[in-house]
Amino acid sequence: MTILLGSIADDYTGASDLANTLTRNGLRTVQTVGILDSSLALPDVDAVVVSLKIRSVAAADAVAAATQADRWLRERGAAHVLYKVCSTFDSTDAGNIGPVTEALSAAAGGGLVLVTPAFPETGRTVYFGHLFVGGQPLNESPLKDHPLNPMHDANLVRVLARQSRGAIGLVDLGAVAAGPDAVKARLDTLRTTGVTAAIADAIFERDLETLGEIALETPVSTGASGLGLGLARALVRSGQVPSGAAKTADAIRPVGGLSAIVAGSCSRATLRQLEVAERSMPVLRLDPEKLLAGPDEISAAISWAGDRISAGPVAVAASASPETVSRLQSQYGREASGHAIETATSVLAAELVARGVRRLVVAGGETSGAAVDRLAIPAFLIGPEIAPGVPVLRTVGNAQGDMLLALKSGNFGGEDFFTAALAMMH
Ligand code: ADP
């Protein structure tokens, strides 16, 4: 298998978002959870996104993990590797965007790296190097108060310079809007001044298409899903990827088995989706106090579900109203209660799979991450979307055999999301 595009994502949800964006823009894509064992066979795909958890670790650790992932991707043919970062450029002054970008560039023999977190679809645009979140500069947006990485400077040339050894330049919108030749000319000029990475402006998707085309001529780029969109469209335009609408059909080949829903998200959308699901399937509401008190509540839930799943899908939810959640959090602590409930829902998911569930819907970002970790699923082939941002996933190399999953961030999906998901999973 030879892949055309590789990507290393600095966190799991960012990786999923990118993998879905690449799929929507014409690339058959696999997302891995960490670096895969070399014995695991991948399906024939155009792109592989390696999910790491390196956004907020020490820079040296991030560099070591990313370099290893890069080697893995290059060995499988990736001529270009995108370092996928958050579209709000989350990082501290110590990194890790600068150090990882420089390490990947050095491993590929050096050269100027294009960098842009622009993703117009989600309101992230870059103008004269300044990142806007909706209509606000980054440092005036809610990101200024981010608990891990508060962003106090919207000027990404400065932000990246603080975490880089090399000089940082700018490819401004004038050049980007003028097209690939103008960008190339600007990059040539920047190279003569010793610049090693350049923030590129982008407001519209066509700007990202231009940047994607130019980035493909280099071995490394750094950006968010927006740059992924640009790279994917450029690859399709170049004729290297066969175009065709039926690309995701293979991902949703039936897997059989039983089906279930596990919900740990307490978002308003998920609470409403559970109410709607109750009309068409048995729904068990877990008692969060009992969940925290010991294993009995989850054992009871496993036998409740075990008694019913052979007759049709069931849903089990830890989800509760904001009042219940804050009561529990003030009693047990936010982190401790969240973590304990994630452990319980992931145990439940694993037990359901052990009882024959092969089609599984999980509601909640952290809840999904914990379930995927517990199930030890090495990788996913990305299928068609159930709702914007939520594709059907087909497991790759799963010890329990092929499964179909839908992993939903809390607020995603319409009110019939659960039945819509199951209708696409056979
Ligand atoms: P979302 O995508 O909506 O943010 P997450 O799964 O990421 O959902 O986060 C929800 C968090 O709330 C998880 O840590 C989950 O374990 C926790 N949780 C679930 N049910 C409850 C509850 N009843 N009380 C307190 N916390 C809960």
Side-chain angles (χ1 to χ4, degrees):
M1 186 202 64
T2 299
I3 56 181
L4 292 168
L5 177 67
S7 177
I8 301 163
D10 69 353
D11 83 341
Y12 180 83
T13 40
S16 306
D17 186 55
L18 173 66
N20 190 42
T21 301
L22 296 179
T23 305
R24 276 194 349 223
N25 286 283
L27 303 189
R28 259 173 68 87
T29 305
V30 156
Q31 174 189 357
T32 72
V33 183
I35 299 166
L36 292 185
D37 199 281
S38 53
S39 62
L40 195 127
L42 286 181
D44 203 15
V45 289
D46 308 311
V48 175
V49 180
V50 177
S51 345
L52 300 178
K53 275 188 200 156
I54 57 170
R55 183 171 301 166
S56 307
V57 303
D61 295 339
V63 164
T67 309
Q68 197 191 343
D70 181 61
R71 215 173 299 129
W72 188 95
L73 288 164
R74 302 283 182 193
E75 280 166 14
R76 280 155 189 79
H80 184 87
V81 171
L82 165 68
Y83 180 43
K84 159 70 174 72
V85 300
C86 183
S87 63
T88 49
F89 221 69
D90 285 27
S91 58
T92 65
D93 282 351
N96 294 324
I97 301 175
V100 171
T101 298
E102 292 191 321
L104 296 181
S105 177
L112 202 163
V113 180
L114 269 178
V115 180
T116 185
F119 193 19
E121 178 182 313
T122 56
R124 272 56 153 174
T125 57
V126 181
Y127 183 58
F128 277 98
H130 290 70
L131 175 57
F132 287 80
V133 178
Q136 293 173 310
L138 181 65
N139 59 312
E140 292 175 26
S141 77
L143 272 298
K144 71 183 191 304
D145 303 316
H146 188 283
L148 292 176
N149 304 316
M151 300 303 287
H152 295 303
D153 191 355
N155 182 328
L156 300 185
V157 175
R158 271 192 316 241
V159 173
L160 192 58
R162 282 196 288 270
Q163 39 179 289
S164 302
R165 291 201 200 130
I168 309 301
L170 172 70
V171 181
D172 66 56
L173 194 66
V176 178
D181 290 342
V183 173
K184 250 196 253 185
R186 184 64 52 89
L187 292 178
D188 286 342
T189 310
L190 289 174
R191 277 188 196 97
T192 62
T193 63
V195 162
T196 55
I199 299 291
D201 283 353
I203 307 280
F204 301 108
E205 288 186 356
R206 66 166 182 272
D207 302 327
L208 290 158
E209 290 171 8
T210 298
L211 294 171
E213 184 177 326
I214 298 303
L216 275 185
E217 295 174 6
T218 68
V220 180
S221 61
T222 294
S225 293
L227 188 53
L229 169 150
L231 289 162
R233 290 187 185 172
L235 277 170
V236 170
R237 262 201 324 273
S238 74
Q240 295 179 71
V241 181
S243 57
K247 287 196 162 189
T248 53
D250 188 43
I252 50 171
R253 280 192 334 271
V255 293
L258 306 173
S259 50
I261 294 164
V262 174
S265 164
C266 301
S267 70
R268 192 184 304 179
T270 301
L271 295 175
R272 178 72 191 134
Q273 287 158 352
L274 285 165
E275 277 172 25
V276 171
E278 230 152 19
R279 295 182 201 149
S280 58
M281 68 185 83
V283 177
L284 177 67
R285 311 268 181 177
L286 298 167
D287 180 334
E289 301 265 0
K290 288 192 190 151
L291 266 189
L292 292 179
D296 291 354
E297 179 73 352
I298 213 68
S299 304
I302 292 163
S303 64
W304 177 92
D307 290 344
R308 289 167 178 78
I309 34 173
S310 51
V314 300
V316 182
S319 319
S321 65
E323 301 77 52
T324 316
V325 171
S326 55
R327 187 158 31 82
L328 210 72
Q329 287 178 339
S330 56
Q331 197 174 341
Y332 297 93
R334 179 186 296 264
E335 287 239 332
S337 55
H339 188 68
I341 295 176
E342 279 159 36
T343 304
T345 46
S346 68
V347 167
L348 173 70
E351 289 295 332
L352 293 176
V353 172
R355 284 164 178 70
V357 166
R358 292 292 174 272
R359 292 167 282 147
L360 180 66
V361 181
V362 186
E366 295 298 326
T367 308
S368 297
V372 166
D373 281 351
R374 168 97 31 184
L375 291 167
I377 296 167
F380 298 105
L381 177 64
I382 314 301
E385 286 183 313
I386 305 157
V390 196
V392 178
L393 303 171
R394 182 185 200 85
T395 60
V396 174
N398 185 36
Q400 292 91 347
D402 284 1
M403 288 179 62
L404 295 178
L405 281 95
L407 306 176
K408 182 189 89 81
S409 280
N411 271 318
F412 284 33
E415 62 174 34
D416 66 343
F417 177 82
F418 291 133
T419 44
L422 292 173
M424 288 175 71
M425 299 157 75
H426 297 285

Short mmCIF file of all heavy atoms in Angstrom, two decimals, residues 168-223:
data_model
loop_
_atom_site.label_atom_id
_atom_site.label_comp_id
_atom_site.label_asym_id
_atom_site.label_seq_id
_atom_site.Cartn_x
_atom_site.Cartn_y
_atom_site.Cartn_z
N ILE A 168 10.64 33.32 10.95
CA ILE A 168 9.27 33.08 10.46
C ILE A 168 8.86 34.23 9.54
O ILE A 168 9.04 35.40 9.89
CB ILE A 168 8.28 32.99 11.64
CG1 ILE A 168 8.76 32.00 12.70
CG2 ILE A 168 6.88 32.62 11.13
CD1 ILE A 168 8.97 30.57 12.24
N GLY A 169 8.31 33.89 8.39
CA GLY A 169 7.87 34.91 7.44
C GLY A 169 6.36 34.88 7.26
O GLY A 169 5.64 34.14 7.95
N LEU A 170 5.88 35.70 6.32
CA LEU A 170 4.44 35.81 6.07
C LEU A 170 4.18 35.75 4.56
O LEU A 170 4.85 36.42 3.78
CB LEU A 170 3.93 37.16 6.61
CG LEU A 170 2.48 37.52 6.25
CD1 LEU A 170 1.49 36.61 6.99
CD2 LEU A 170 2.18 38.98 6.59
N VAL A 171 3.19 34.93 4.18
CA VAL A 171 2.69 34.97 2.81
C VAL A 171 1.32 35.63 2.92
O VAL A 171 0.36 35.02 3.40
CB VAL A 171 2.56 33.55 2.20
CG1 VAL A 171 2.05 33.63 0.78
CG2 VAL A 171 3.89 32.82 2.26
N ASP A 172 1.24 36.89 2.52
CA ASP A 172 0.00 37.63 2.80
C ASP A 172 -1.07 37.35 1.75
O ASP A 172 -0.81 36.75 0.71
CB ASP A 172 0.27 39.13 2.96
CG ASP A 172 0.74 39.74 1.66
OD1 ASP A 172 0.04 39.62 0.64
OD2 ASP A 172 1.84 40.33 1.65
N LEU A 173 -2.27 37.82 2.08
CA LEU A 173 -3.42 37.49 1.24
C LEU A 173 -3.25 37.96 -0.20
O LEU A 173 -3.77 37.34 -1.11
CB LEU A 173 -4.69 38.08 1.86
CG LEU A 173 -5.99 37.54 1.28
CD1 LEU A 173 -6.17 36.06 1.61
CD2 LEU A 173 -7.18 38.33 1.80
N GLY A 174 -2.52 39.06 -0.38
CA GLY A 174 -2.29 39.56 -1.74
C GLY A 174 -1.67 38.48 -2.61
O GLY A 174 -2.13 38.22 -3.73
N ALA A 175 -0.67 37.81 -2.07
CA ALA A 175 0.00 36.75 -2.84
C ALA A 175 -0.91 35.54 -2.98
O ALA A 175 -1.04 34.96 -4.07
CB ALA A 175 1.30 36.36 -2.15
N VAL A 176 -1.57 35.17 -1.89
CA VAL A 176 -2.40 33.95 -1.93
C VAL A 176 -3.55 34.13 -2.93
O VAL A 176 -3.82 33.24 -3.75
CB VAL A 176 -2.94 33.61 -0.52
CG1 VAL A 176 -3.84 32.37 -0.57
CG2 VAL A 176 -1.78 33.39 0.47
N ALA A 177 -4.20 35.30 -2.88
CA ALA A 177 -5.34 35.53 -3.77
C ALA A 177 -4.89 35.62 -5.23
O ALA A 177 -5.67 35.35 -6.14
CB ALA A 177 -6.08 36.81 -3.36
N ALA A 178 -3.64 35.98 -5.44
CA ALA A 178 -3.14 36.08 -6.83
C ALA A 178 -2.82 34.70 -7.42
O ALA A 178 -2.57 34.58 -8.61
CB ALA A 178 -1.91 36.99 -6.88
N GLY A 179 -2.80 33.66 -6.58
CA GLY A 179 -2.66 32.30 -7.12
C GLY A 179 -1.30 31.68 -6.88
O GLY A 179 -0.39 32.30 -6.34
N PRO A 180 -1.17 30.40 -7.30
CA PRO A 180 0.02 29.60 -6.99
C PRO A 180 1.34 30.25 -7.41
O PRO A 180 2.32 30.21 -6.67
CB PRO A 180 -0.21 28.30 -7.77
CG PRO A 180 -1.69 28.23 -7.95
CD PRO A 180 -2.20 29.63 -8.01
N ASP A 181 1.37 30.88 -8.60
CA ASP A 181 2.66 31.45 -9.05
C ASP A 181 3.10 32.57 -8.13
O ASP A 181 4.29 32.70 -7.80
CB ASP A 181 2.55 31.95 -10.50
CG ASP A 181 2.42 30.77 -11.46
OD1 ASP A 181 2.76 29.64 -11.04
OD2 ASP A 181 1.97 30.99 -12.60
N ALA A 182 2.14 33.39 -7.68
CA ALA A 182 2.49 34.50 -6.79
C ALA A 182 2.96 33.97 -5.43
O ALA A 182 3.90 34.51 -4.84
CB ALA A 182 1.27 35.42 -6.61
N VAL A 183 2.33 32.90 -4.96
CA VAL A 183 2.76 32.31 -3.68
C VAL A 183 4.18 31.76 -3.82
O VAL A 183 5.05 31.98 -2.97
CB VAL A 183 1.79 31.20 -3.21
CG1 VAL A 183 2.33 30.49 -1.97
CG2 VAL A 183 0.42 31.78 -2.93
N LYS A 184 4.41 31.08 -4.95
CA LYS A 184 5.75 30.51 -5.18
C LYS A 184 6.81 31.61 -5.20
O LYS A 184 7.88 31.48 -4.60
CB LYS A 184 5.75 29.78 -6.52
CG LYS A 184 5.83 28.27 -6.35
CD LYS A 184 6.22 27.63 -7.65
CE LYS A 184 5.01 26.93 -8.23
NZ LYS A 184 5.21 26.17 -9.40
N ALA A 185 6.47 32.70 -5.88
CA ALA A 185 7.43 33.81 -5.96
C ALA A 185 7.70 34.38 -4.56
O ALA A 185 8.85 34.66 -4.20
CB ALA A 185 6.89 34.91 -6.88
N ARG A 186 6.63 34.48 -3.75
CA ARG A 186 6.82 35.01 -2.39
C ARG A 186 7.68 34.06 -1.56
O ARG A 186 8.57 34.49 -0.83
CB ARG A 186 5.44 35.20 -1.72
CG ARG A 186 5.51 35.83 -0.34
CD ARG A 186 6.07 37.25 -0.36
NE ARG A 186 5.36 38.08 -1.32
CZ ARG A 186 4.27 38.78 -1.03
NH1 ARG A 186 3.78 38.78 0.18
NH2 ARG A 186 3.67 39.50 -1.97
N LEU A 187 7.45 32.78 -1.71
CA LEU A 187 8.25 31.81 -0.95
C LEU A 187 9.72 31.87 -1.38
O LEU A 187 10.62 31.79 -0.53
CB LEU A 187 7.70 30.39 -1.13
CG LEU A 187 6.32 30.15 -0.49
CD1 LEU A 187 5.84 28.73 -0.77
CD2 LEU A 187 6.36 30.38 1.02
N ASP A 188 9.95 32.05 -2.69
CA ASP A 188 11.34 32.15 -3.16
C ASP A 188 12.03 33.34 -2.50
O ASP A 188 13.17 33.26 -2.07
CB ASP A 188 11.37 32.28 -4.69
CG ASP A 188 11.05 30.94 -5.35
OD1 ASP A 188 11.15 29.90 -4.66
OD2 ASP A 188 10.68 30.94 -6.55
N THR A 189 11.30 34.46 -2.43
CA THR A 189 11.89 35.65 -1.80
C THR A 189 12.18 35.39 -0.33
O THR A 189 13.24 35.74 0.18
CB THR A 189 10.90 36.85 -1.91
OG1 THR A 189 10.49 36.96 -3.27
CG2 THR A 189 11.53 38.15 -1.44
N LEU A 190 11.21 34.76 0.35
CA LEU A 190 11.40 34.49 1.79
C LEU A 190 12.61 33.57 2.01
O LEU A 190 13.38 33.75 2.94
CB LEU A 190 10.14 33.85 2.39
CG LEU A 190 8.93 34.77 2.54
CD1 LEU A 190 7.70 33.98 3.01
CD2 LEU A 190 9.21 35.91 3.53
N ARG A 191 12.77 32.58 1.13
CA ARG A 191 13.91 31.66 1.27
C ARG A 191 15.23 32.42 1.23
O ARG A 191 16.14 32.12 2.00
CB ARG A 191 13.89 30.61 0.15
CG ARG A 191 12.97 29.45 0.45
CD ARG A 191 13.12 28.33 -0.58
NE ARG A 191 11.98 27.45 -0.47
CZ ARG A 191 10.89 27.50 -1.24
NH1 ARG A 191 10.81 28.39 -2.23
NH2 ARG A 191 9.89 26.68 -1.04
N THR A 192 15.31 33.41 0.35
CA THR A 192 16.58 34.14 0.22
C THR A 192 16.89 34.93 1.49
O THR A 192 18.03 35.29 1.73
CB THR A 192 16.57 35.12 -0.98
OG1 THR A 192 15.55 36.08 -0.73
CG2 THR A 192 16.33 34.41 -2.29
N THR A 193 15.86 35.17 2.31
CA THR A 193 16.12 35.92 3.56
C THR A 193 16.29 34.97 4.75
O THR A 193 16.30 35.41 5.89
CB THR A 193 14.96 36.90 3.86
OG1 THR A 193 13.77 36.12 4.05
CG2 THR A 193 14.74 37.88 2.73
N GLY A 194 16.36 33.67 4.48
CA GLY A 194 16.64 32.72 5.56
C GLY A 194 15.42 32.26 6.35
O GLY A 194 15.56 31.63 7.39
N VAL A 195 14.22 32.57 5.84
CA VAL A 195 13.00 32.15 6.54
C VAL A 195 12.83 30.64 6.41
O VAL A 195 13.03 30.07 5.33
CB VAL A 195 11.78 32.91 5.95
CG1 VAL A 195 10.48 32.23 6.31
CG2 VAL A 195 11.78 34.35 6.44
N THR A 196 12.45 29.96 7.53
CA THR A 196 12.30 28.50 7.48
C THR A 196 10.84 28.06 7.58
O THR A 196 10.53 26.90 7.30
CB THR A 196 13.09 27.83 8.61
OG1 THR A 196 12.68 28.41 9.85
CG2 THR A 196 14.58 28.03 8.42
N ALA A 197 9.95 28.95 8.02
CA ALA A 197 8.51 28.64 8.02
C ALA A 197 7.76 29.95 7.79
O ALA A 197 8.20 31.01 8.24
CB ALA A 197 8.09 28.02 9.35
N ALA A 198 6.63 29.85 7.09
CA ALA A 198 5.87 31.06 6.79
C ALA A 198 4.40 30.86 7.12
O ALA A 198 3.80 29.88 6.69
CB ALA A 198 6.03 31.43 5.33
N ILE A 199 3.86 31.80 7.90
CA ILE A 199 2.42 31.81 8.12
C ILE A 199 1.77 32.28 6.82
O ILE A 199 2.21 33.27 6.22
CB ILE A 199 2.05 32.79 9.26
CG1 ILE A 199 2.71 32.39 10.59
CG2 ILE A 199 0.53 32.91 9.40
CD1 ILE A 199 2.18 31.13 11.22
N ALA A 200 0.75 31.54 6.37
CA ALA A 200 0.06 31.93 5.14
C ALA A 200 -1.35 32.41 5.46
O ALA A 200 -2.07 31.76 6.21
CB ALA A 200 -0.01 30.75 4.17
N ASP A 201 -1.70 33.57 4.92
CA ASP A 201 -3.07 34.07 5.07
C ASP A 201 -4.04 33.19 4.29
O ASP A 201 -3.69 32.63 3.24
CB ASP A 201 -3.17 35.49 4.48
CG ASP A 201 -2.57 36.55 5.39
OD1 ASP A 201 -2.19 36.22 6.53
OD2 ASP A 201 -2.48 37.71 4.94
N ALA A 202 -5.26 33.09 4.78
CA ALA A 202 -6.32 32.42 4.01
C ALA A 202 -7.66 32.84 4.61
O ALA A 202 -7.84 32.79 5.83
CB ALA A 202 -6.17 30.91 4.08
N ILE A 203 -8.55 33.29 3.75
CA ILE A 203 -9.88 33.70 4.19
C ILE A 203 -10.93 32.74 3.63
O ILE A 203 -11.88 32.39 4.31
CB ILE A 203 -10.21 35.14 3.68
CG1 ILE A 203 -9.11 36.13 4.07
CG2 ILE A 203 -11.59 35.59 4.17
CD1 ILE A 203 -9.14 36.65 5.47
N PHE A 204 -10.75 32.36 2.38
CA PHE A 204 -11.74 31.51 1.70
C PHE A 204 -11.12 30.15 1.35
O PHE A 204 -9.90 30.01 1.30
CB PHE A 204 -12.26 32.20 0.43
CG PHE A 204 -12.90 33.52 0.71
CD1 PHE A 204 -12.28 34.70 0.35
CD2 PHE A 204 -14.12 33.58 1.39
CE1 PHE A 204 -12.88 35.93 0.63
CE2 PHE A 204 -14.73 34.80 1.67
CZ PHE A 204 -14.10 35.99 1.29
N GLU A 205 -12.01 29.19 1.05
CA GLU A 205 -11.50 27.86 0.71
C GLU A 205 -10.59 27.90 -0.51
O GLU A 205 -9.63 27.14 -0.60
CB GLU A 205 -12.66 26.88 0.50
CG GLU A 205 -13.33 26.53 1.82
CD GLU A 205 -14.39 25.46 1.71
OE1 GLU A 205 -14.69 25.00 0.58
OE2 GLU A 205 -14.94 25.09 2.78
N ARG A 206 -10.88 28.81 -1.45
CA ARG A 206 -10.01 28.85 -2.65
C ARG A 206 -8.58 29.24 -2.26
O ARG A 206 -7.63 28.83 -2.91
CB ARG A 206 -10.58 29.78 -3.73
CG ARG A 206 -10.64 31.22 -3.37
CD ARG A 206 -10.89 32.11 -4.60
NE ARG A 206 -10.89 33.50 -4.18
CZ ARG A 206 -11.96 34.14 -3.74
NH1 ARG A 206 -13.13 33.53 -3.70
NH2 ARG A 206 -11.88 35.40 -3.34
N ASP A 207 -8.43 30.03 -1.18
CA ASP A 207 -7.07 30.36 -0.72
C ASP A 207 -6.37 29.08 -0.24
O ASP A 207 -5.18 28.88 -0.49
CB ASP A 207 -7.12 31.37 0.44
CG ASP A 207 -7.85 32.65 0.06
OD1 ASP A 207 -7.76 33.04 -1.13
OD2 ASP A 207 -8.51 33.26 0.93
N LEU A 208 -7.12 28.23 0.44
CA LEU A 208 -6.54 26.98 0.94
C LEU A 208 -6.23 26.02 -0.21
O LEU A 208 -5.28 25.25 -0.15
CB LEU A 208 -7.46 26.34 1.98
CG LEU A 208 -7.50 27.17 3.27
CD1 LEU A 208 -8.75 26.90 4.08
CD2 LEU A 208 -6.24 26.92 4.11
N GLU A 209 -7.04 26.08 -1.27
CA GLU A 209 -6.76 25.25 -2.45
C GLU A 209 -5.43 25.68 -3.08
O GLU A 209 -4.60 24.84 -3.46
CB GLU A 209 -7.89 25.35 -3.47
CG GLU A 209 -9.16 24.66 -2.97
CD GLU A 209 -10.37 24.92 -3.87
OE1 GLU A 209 -10.21 25.52 -4.96
OE2 GLU A 209 -11.49 24.52 -3.47
N THR A 210 -5.22 26.99 -3.15
CA THR A 210 -3.94 27.50 -3.68
C THR A 210 -2.79 27.04 -2.80
O THR A 210 -1.77 26.53 -3.28
CB THR A 210 -3.98 29.04 -3.72
OG1 THR A 210 -5.03 29.44 -4.59
CG2 THR A 210 -2.66 29.63 -4.19
N LEU A 211 -2.96 27.20 -1.48
CA LEU A 211 -1.87 26.83 -0.55
C LEU A 211 -1.63 25.33 -0.58
O LEU A 211 -0.48 24.87 -0.51
CB LEU A 211 -2.22 27.29 0.87
CG LEU A 211 -2.26 28.82 1.04
CD1 LEU A 211 -2.83 29.18 2.41
CD2 LEU A 211 -0.87 29.43 0.85
N GLY A 212 -2.70 24.53 -0.71
CA GLY A 212 -2.56 23.08 -0.77
C GLY A 212 -1.72 22.67 -1.98
O GLY A 212 -0.84 21.81 -1.89
N GLU A 213 -1.99 23.31 -3.11
CA GLU A 213 -1.26 22.98 -4.34
C GLU A 213 0.24 23.26 -4.17
O GLU A 213 1.08 22.44 -4.55
CB GLU A 213 -1.84 23.81 -5.50
CG GLU A 213 -1.24 23.49 -6.82
CD GLU A 213 -1.90 24.29 -7.95
OE1 GLU A 213 -3.12 24.56 -7.88
OE2 GLU A 213 -1.17 24.65 -8.89
N ILE A 214 0.56 24.38 -3.56
CA ILE A 214 1.98 24.74 -3.37
C ILE A 214 2.61 23.85 -2.30
O ILE A 214 3.74 23.39 -2.44
CB ILE A 214 2.10 26.23 -2.97
CG1 ILE A 214 1.54 27.11 -4.09
CG2 ILE A 214 3.55 26.59 -2.67
CD1 ILE A 214 2.19 26.89 -5.42
N ALA A 215 1.86 23.60 -1.22
CA ALA A 215 2.42 22.79 -0.13
C ALA A 215 2.79 21.40 -0.64
O ALA A 215 3.78 20.82 -0.22
CB ALA A 215 1.42 22.69 1.02
N LEU A 216 1.98 20.87 -1.58
CA LEU A 216 2.26 19.52 -2.10
C LEU A 216 3.61 19.41 -2.78
O LEU A 216 4.17 18.33 -2.92
CB LEU A 216 1.17 19.11 -3.10
CG LEU A 216 -0.10 18.48 -2.54
CD1 LEU A 216 -0.98 18.03 -3.69
CD2 LEU A 216 0.20 17.31 -1.61
N GLU A 217 4.13 20.55 -3.20
CA GLU A 217 5.46 20.53 -3.84
C GLU A 217 6.58 20.46 -2.80
O GLU A 217 7.75 20.39 -3.15
CB GLU A 217 5.63 21.77 -4.73
CG GLU A 217 4.65 21.79 -5.89
CD GLU A 217 4.71 23.08 -6.70
OE1 GLU A 217 5.59 23.92 -6.42
OE2 GLU A 217 3.86 23.23 -7.59
N THR A 218 6.20 20.55 -1.52
CA THR A 218 7.19 20.48 -0.44
C THR A 218 6.89 19.24 0.41
O THR A 218 5.80 18.68 0.31
CB THR A 218 7.10 21.74 0.45
OG1 THR A 218 5.85 21.71 1.17
CG2 THR A 218 7.18 23.02 -0.37
N PRO A 219 7.82 18.82 1.27
CA PRO A 219 7.56 17.58 2.03
C PRO A 219 6.70 17.75 3.27
O PRO A 219 6.12 16.76 3.74
CB PRO A 219 8.97 17.11 2.41
CG PRO A 219 9.83 18.31 2.34
CD PRO A 219 9.23 19.26 1.35
N VAL A 220 6.61 18.95 3.82
CA VAL A 220 5.95 19.14 5.11
C VAL A 220 5.10 20.40 5.10
O VAL A 220 5.50 21.42 4.52
CB VAL A 220 7.00 19.29 6.25
CG1 VAL A 220 6.32 19.47 7.61
CG2 VAL A 220 7.95 18.10 6.31
N SER A 221 3.94 20.35 5.75
CA SER A 221 3.19 21.58 6.03
C SER A 221 2.59 21.46 7.42
O SER A 221 2.54 20.36 7.98
CB SER A 221 2.10 21.82 4.98
OG SER A 221 1.17 20.74 5.00
N THR A 222 2.15 22.59 7.95
CA THR A 222 1.54 22.60 9.28
C THR A 222 0.24 23.39 9.19
O THR A 222 0.23 24.50 8.65
CB THR A 222 2.51 23.24 10.30
OG1 THR A 222 3.66 22.40 10.42
CG2 THR A 222 1.85 23.40 11.66
N GLY A 223 -0.84 22.80 9.70
CA GLY A 223 -2.10 23.53 9.62
C GLY A 223 -3.24 22.74 10.23
O GLY A 223 -3.02 21.69 10.85
#
